[in-house]
Amino acid sequence: DTAVSQTPKYLVTQMGNDKSIKCEQNLGHDTMYWYKQDSKKFLKIMFSYNNKELIINETVPNRFSPKSPDKAHLNLHINSLELGDSAVYFCASSQPTGGAGAFFGQGTRLTVV
Amino acid sequence: GNSVTQMEGPVTLSEEAFLTINCTYTATGYPSLFWYVQYPGEGLQLLLKATKADDKGSNKGFEATYRKETTSFHLEKGSVQVSDSAVYFCALRINSGGSNYKLTFGKGTLLTVNP
């Protein structure tokens, strides 16, 4: 069973469109994250939720709106897609303790054309 | 703020060579330290971790020791294999407050092991 699963794995779309990426974890973790990985492999946190509550929003454009219907799900909706949004987006989950490592999904490669 | 600095890659080694990937950090507070590995086309996997000074994390032949005096967490392996080819990320997480909810990553080091 996949611990952190995100869909779709690949997403190709035109500029200006709106798209969503879904994420689910079956680990019973309280904390979930979205990270963006650019073409140079640099990972930057976008959002962090704990028990459905937004904890961290790292100056992400408001075109990006996370939604957490329950603590096992954290979806990412992106409005008015731009070329610069092309990247790999990773969902992750962990327990909210400093020593806990995070478990990552397989990533969604978003290409905006 | 909190940050992680890794040695620049790419690193290219022959099979059975010794590997070191340097990682240093700056942190406000007491961090836990992690190494993650990303194989081509996959997500990140936790490789090893250490939660306090002088702890040694180890897994799959890889080791790293939490050195508070030098603020370092260097990754080592005595004999690399072709299957170790991947991108390696050093990361930290602060053990208190809102920063519990954030892993800060280094820029990653691409390792290629040739047969």
Side-chain angles (χ1 to χ4, degrees), chain A residues 51-71:
Chain A
N51 266 322
K52 304 191 300 176
E53 180 185 353
L54 178 66
I55 302 295
I56 291 174
N57 179 343
E58 288 279 309
T59 61
V60 177
N62 58 15
R63 298 182 295 104
F64 291 78
S65 52
K67 291 284 193 301
S68 183
D70 55 63
K71 74 173 192 179

Side-chain angles (χ1 to χ4, degrees), chain A residues 10-52:
Chain A
Y10 299 98
L11 186 52
V12 180
T13 188
Q14 292 187 324
M15 283 175 55
N17 283 351
D18 303 338
K19 291 294 178 185
S20 292
I21 306 171
K22 296 186 175 182
C23 179
E24 175 181 7
Q25 54 98 1
N26 62 8
L27 298 167
H29 289 160
D30 292 331
T31 307
M32 294 186 73
Y33 314 81
W34 279 108
Y35 278 84
K36 179 180 180 180
Q37 186 175 47
D38 64 21
S39 58
K40 295 184 179 180
K41 300 293 187 182
F42 184 61
L43 279 158
K44 184 173 170 55
I45 191 167
M46 301 173 68
F47 301 103
S48 172
Y49 271 71
N50 190 62
N51 266 322
K52 304 191 300 176

Side-chain angles (χ1 to χ4, degrees), chain B residues 16-107:
Chain B
E16 299 184 4
F18 184 85
L19 168 71
T20 300
I21 301 178
N22 290 337
C23 171
T24 57
Y25 67 89
T26 57
T28 53
Y30 301 97
S32 293
L33 301 172
F34 306 86
W35 277 100
Y36 282 82
V37 58
Q38 185 178 26
Y39 298 104
E42 298 186 11
L44 279 75
Q45 300 174 27
L46 178 63
L47 181 60
L48 53 85
K49 69 175 186 179
T51 58
K52 61 183 187 299
D54 300 325
D55 270 2
K56 177 186 281 189
S58 61
N59 186 25
K60 299 181 181 179
F62 291 89
E63 292 183 340
T65 301
Y66 188 142
R67 301 283 188 204
K68 188 177 178 182
E69 63 276 14
T70 54
T71 62
S72 64
F73 193 55
H74 304 322
L75 183 68
E76 296 182 337
K77 186 175 186 182
S79 176
V80 294
Q81 306 300 313
V82 172
S83 57
D84 293 327
S85 298
V87 180
Y88 291 81
F89 293 90
C90 186
L92 69 81
R93 187 174 185 183
I94 300 298
N95 295 328
S96 64
S99 297
N100 260 345
Y101 305 101
K102 179 178 175 179
L103 268 170
T104 300
F105 286 90
K107 291 187 175 182

